[in-house]
Amino acid sequence: GAVVSQHPSWVICKSGTSVKIECRSLDFQATTMFWYRQFPKQSLMLMATSNEGSKATYEQGVEKDKFLINHASLTLSTLTVTSAHPEDSSFYICSASRTSGSDEQYFGPGTRLTVT
Amino acid sequence: EDKVVQSPLSLVVHEGDTVTLNCSYEVTNFRSLLWYKQEKKAPTFLFMLTSSGIEKKSGRLSSILDKKELFSILNITATQTGDSAVYLCAVVLNTNAGKSTFGDGTTLTVKP
């Protein structure tokens, strides 16, 4: 159990367009989901914490109007990169924690975003 | 500012060697420390540590936490090429959301 999926796994878009990335917990309920960004050969940088039914909490330096997060249900959170620019190109990974309160996070396979 | 520091940043060993990876932390509100292994894509969970001095073991991997000195180590014995990966240490903060702060990772390469 504890599978997290992300869709799409890879997306190319043009500058100025918006891209939506979905994160789903397939076999458990996740009150909290986390969105990370990872640059090549670097660690995971937390962007925001997404709580079901409430507004996301963004980390310092992350523009909430640019990276829109919606956590509409206990199994789905979405990240929308609005008006994408080439510098937004990165690997975006989501993770989810079980509602039972374990600190272990289950990671999705990631989404590679390339903005041309 | 919460900080998690891993060392070494990279390590190259030969099959059969034993390696020790280090993770030190300075955080305001510690709850737990987790180790993950990241190969090509998403990290996979290895261990969660909450108490000092209690070793967690899984096969050739083991880990222990020292909450007084604020560090943890991950040991891998009899390394295999399949152990080649980035090993990430994350500290979970004692907040409602259980936010994690990750270290930069240790890239382990095991040569045949």
Side-chain angles (χ1 to χ4, degrees):
Chain A
V3 178
V4 176
S5 70
Q6 269 184 254
H7 178 80
S9 56
W10 186 32
V11 57
I12 300 173
C13 71
K14 292 187 176 180
S15 282
T17 61
S18 295
V19 174
K20 181 186 280 190
I21 302 170
E22 291 186 352
C23 176
R24 291 182 186 271
S25 56
L26 298 185
D27 51 2
F28 67 101
Q29 292 185 327
T31 303
T32 304
M33 290 184 172
F34 302 92
W35 286 96
Y36 295 88
R37 188 172 176 177
Q38 188 173 36
F39 292 101
K41 299 193 185 298
Q42 292 188 26
S43 189
L44 298 169
M45 184 193 81
L46 180 65
M47 298 175 66
T49 303
S50 166
N51 294 298
E52 185 264 337
S54 63
K55 290 184 179 180
T57 303
Y58 290 81
E59 294 300 299
Q60 198 171 7
V62 178
E63 297 176 61
K64 61 181 179 183
D65 294 330
K66 181 167 183 62
F67 298 100
L68 300 178
I69 291 172
N70 184 25
H71 194 151
S73 75
L74 283 172
T75 59
L76 173 64
S77 176
T78 61
L79 167 68
T80 301
V81 183
T82 63
S83 188
H85 287 104
E87 56 264 32
D88 298 326
S89 299
S90 190
F91 192 55
Y92 292 88
I93 305 180
C94 73
S95 71
S97 296
R98 287 182 186 272
T99 53
S100 62
S102 168
D103 287 343
E104 178 183 345
Q105 292 182 29
Y106 303 95
F107 286 85
T111 296
R112 172 77 55 198
L113 171 63
T114 302
V115 184
T116 61
Chain B
E1 185 187 335
D2 298 322
K3 196 163 49 173
V4 177
V5 178
Q6 290 185 246
S7 64
L9 289 180
S10 66
L11 191 54
V12 180
V13 300
H14 287 95
E15 274 191 316
D17 289 349
T18 293
V19 297
T20 298
L21 310 182
N22 303 291
C23 175
S24 64
Y25 61 91
E26 286 180 38
V27 300
T28 51
N29 205 352
F30 176 92
R31 184 159 88 193
S32 62
L33 186 147
L34 285 83
W35 284 96
Y36 293 90
K37 177 182 182 182
Q38 186 176 23
E39 295 176 84
K40 291 188 178 168
K41 291 200 171 177
T44 54
F45 171 78
L46 294 175
F47 297 111
M48 182 171 90
L49 304 157
T50 55
S51 302
S52 275
I54 299 174
E55 185 184 51
K56 293 279 183 92
K57 199 167 169 64
S58 176
R60 296 177 294 103
L61 277 67
S62 63
S63 184
I64 198 160
L65 173 67
D66 186 329
K67 288 169 75 173
K68 185 179 173 187
E69 300 297 329
L70 308 183
F71 77 92
S72 173
I73 59 172
L74 174 68
N75 272 328
I76 309 175
T77 59
T79 51
Q80 302 171 358
T81 54
D83 295 327
S84 296
V86 176
Y87 290 84
L88 296 167
C89 169
V91 172
V92 180
L93 306 180
N94 200 14
T95 63
N96 285 338
K99 186 175 88 167
S100 295
T101 299
F102 280 80
D104 286 339
T106 293
T107 301
L108 174 65
T109 304
V110 182
K111 292 189 171 182

